[in-house]
C-alpha cells in the first residue's frame, strides 16, 4: 500500500513541477512525513528523512520537466548558469541547517512555509516586474539564498525562484522554465548533502541511503518523470488559476496540520 501511495504522489509531484515550476516538494514532504509516521519510523529522524527523500525525487522530476521546457525554447540558460553557482553552495549549508533543527521544530518551520505559499497562491500575488535581471554576482547571491532555503524545506525552489525572476522582469513562462532547470542542481546538491549527513544514523530504517528512503524515491520517481512532461505541456496551454487556488487550499490544510 505504501508503494502505491508513492506512485500516486509521484504523479501529483510531476504535474506540479511542470505546471508551476515548484518541484512538487511542498506536497511530497508532508505526505512522506505522514507515511513515515504510520510506518513507525523514529520521530527524531522522520522529518529529515522526508526532506532528503523529497529532494532526491526532484532530481527525476526536473529532468523531464526541463527537457519539455527546453524544447519550447523557454529556459534562460545564462541565468541558470550563474544562479547554479550560488545554489550549489547554499544547498550544502541548507542541509547542515536542517540537520541542526529537531524533527518537530523542522515540521513547524515547513508548516509556516506551506501557509505562506498557500496565501501567495490563493491571492495570486506576484511581485511586479520592476527591475532588470541582475548581473553575475547578483544571480549567484540569489541562487545561494534560494538553494539554502530549498534544502531546509525539501523543495525544488520554484516557489522562490519564480517570484524572484518575475520581479526581475523575466516573462512568466520563462521564469517557470528556468526555475524548473534550477531545481535540478538544488536537488542534486541537497540530496547528496542529506545522504552524507545521515549516513551513519542508527535510527534510520532499512533501505535508506542516509536521509533518503529508497522505496519512496523509487515509487515517486517512476511516475513523476512521466507526469512532469504533462505538467510542462499544460503550463503552455492552460490558465492555472483554478488549479492554483485548489493547490493553495491543500497547502493551507497541510500547513495547519504541521502547526497544530
Amino acid at each position: 500500500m505504501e508503494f502505491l501511495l508513492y506512485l500516486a504522489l509521484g504523479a501529483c509531484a510531476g504535474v506540479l513541477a511542470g505546471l508551476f515550476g515548484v518541484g512538487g516538494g511542498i506536497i511530497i514532504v508532508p505526505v512522506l512525513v505522514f507515511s513515515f509516521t504510520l510506518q513507525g519510523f523514529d520521530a527524531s529522524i522522520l522529518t529529515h528523512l522526508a526532506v532528503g527523500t523529497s529532494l532526491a525525487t526532484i532530481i527525476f522530476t526536473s529532468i523531464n520537466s526541463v527537457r519539455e521546457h527546453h524544447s519550447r525554447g523557454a529556459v534562460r540558460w545564462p541565468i541558470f548558469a550563474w544562479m547554479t553557482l550560488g545554489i550549489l553552495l547554499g544547498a550544502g549549508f541548507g542541509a547542515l541547517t536542517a540537520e541542526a533543527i529537531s524533527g518537530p521544530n523542522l515540521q513547524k518551520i515547513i508548516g509556516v512555509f506551506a501557509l505562506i505559499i498557500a496565501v501567495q497562491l490563493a491571492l495570486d500575488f506576484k511581485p511586479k516586474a520592476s527591475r532588470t535581471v541582475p548581473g553575475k554576482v547578483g544571480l549567484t547571491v540569489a541562487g545561494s539564498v534560494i538553494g539554502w532555503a530549498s534544502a531546509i524545506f525539501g523543495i525544488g525552489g520554484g516557489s522562490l525562484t519564480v517570484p524572484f525572476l518575475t520581479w526581475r522582469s523575466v516573462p512568466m513562462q520563462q521564469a517557470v522554465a528556468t526555475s524548473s532547470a534550477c531545481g535540478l542542481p538544488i536537488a542534486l546538491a541537497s540530496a547528496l548533502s542529506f545522504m552524507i549527513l545521515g549516513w551513519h544514523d542508527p535510527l534510520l530504517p532499512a533501505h535508506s541511503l542516509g536521509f533518503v528512503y529508497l522505496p519512496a524515491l523509487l515509487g515517486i520517481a517512476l511516475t513523476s518523470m512521466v507526469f512532469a512532461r504533462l505538467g510542462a505541456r499544460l503550463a503552455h496551454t492552460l490558465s492555472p488559476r483554478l488549479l492554483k487556488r485548489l493547490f493553495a487550499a491543500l497547502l493551507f490544510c497541510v500547513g495547519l496540520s504541521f502547526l497544530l
Side-chain angles (χ1 to χ4, degrees):
M1 285 298 294
E2 287 85 3
F3 193 71
L4 292 177
L5 172 65
Y6 300 145
L7 290 173
L9 181 56
C12 293
V15 171
L16 291 173
L19 187 59
F20 301 127
V22 299
I26 195 67
I27 288 298
I28 292 174
V29 172
V31 175
L32 288 181
V33 167
F34 179 72
S35 174
F36 293 166
T37 301
L38 291 179
Q39 293 178 70
F41 293 174
D42 192 280
S44 64
I45 57 94
L46 69 82
T47 306
H48 298 84
L49 192 64
V51 171
T53 304
S54 171
L55 289 161
T57 66
I58 292 169
I59 296 171
F60 300 94
T61 305
S62 295
I63 291 172
N64 272 11
S65 180
V66 172
R67 286 176 60 191
E68 187 67 28
H69 284 299
H70 174 67
S71 69
R72 298 172 182 270
V75 180
R76 297 278 291 270
W77 290 111
I79 293 176
F80 163 83
W82 287 106
M83 288 190 71
T84 296
L85 289 179
I87 283 169
L88 295 176
L89 179 63
F93 280 108
L96 287 169
T97 303
E99 190 200 24
I101 302 171
S102 69
N105 285 335
L106 185 58
Q107 284 191 32
K108 288 182 173 61
I109 291 171
I110 294 171
V112 171
F113 180 72
L115 290 177
I116 292 171
I117 299 303
V119 171
Q120 184 265 326
L121 287 171
L123 299 179
D124 200 23
F125 173 75
K126 301 184 185 73
K128 294 182 179 179
S130 57
R131 300 190 180 187
T132 58
V133 176
K136 299 173 182 178
V137 174
L139 289 173
T140 302
V141 171
S144 65
V145 174
I146 290 170
W148 174 78
S150 299
I152 295 173
F153 301 131
I155 62 174
S159 51
L160 304 172
T161 308
V162 172
F164 169 71
L165 292 178
T166 53
W167 174 52
R168 290 294 189 159
S169 302
V170 176
M172 177 55 71
Q173 286 188 346
Q174 292 182 9
V176 170
T178 307
S179 169
S180 294
C182 288
L184 185 55
I186 287 173
L188 281 168
S190 302
L192 180 60
S193 298
F194 272 91
M195 285 182 187
I196 294 170
L197 291 171
W199 194 263
H200 296 296
D201 196 310
L203 299 175
L204 288 172
H207 313 301
S208 297
L209 283 178
F211 289 128
V212 175
Y213 186 56
L214 295 180
L217 172 60
L218 176 62
I220 295 170
L222 283 174
T223 50
S224 66
M225 292 186 71
V226 176
F227 282 84
R229 300 193 73 175
L230 172 62
R233 289 171 186 167
L234 291 174
H236 291 271
T237 59
L238 297 178
S239 172
R241 176 174 294 182
L242 176 60
L243 289 174
K244 280 188 176 182
R245 289 179 177 172
L246 292 174
F247 186 36
L250 177 60
L251 284 181
F252 188 78
C253 294
V254 167
L256 285 181
S257 70
F258 270 26
L259 292 173
L260 299 178

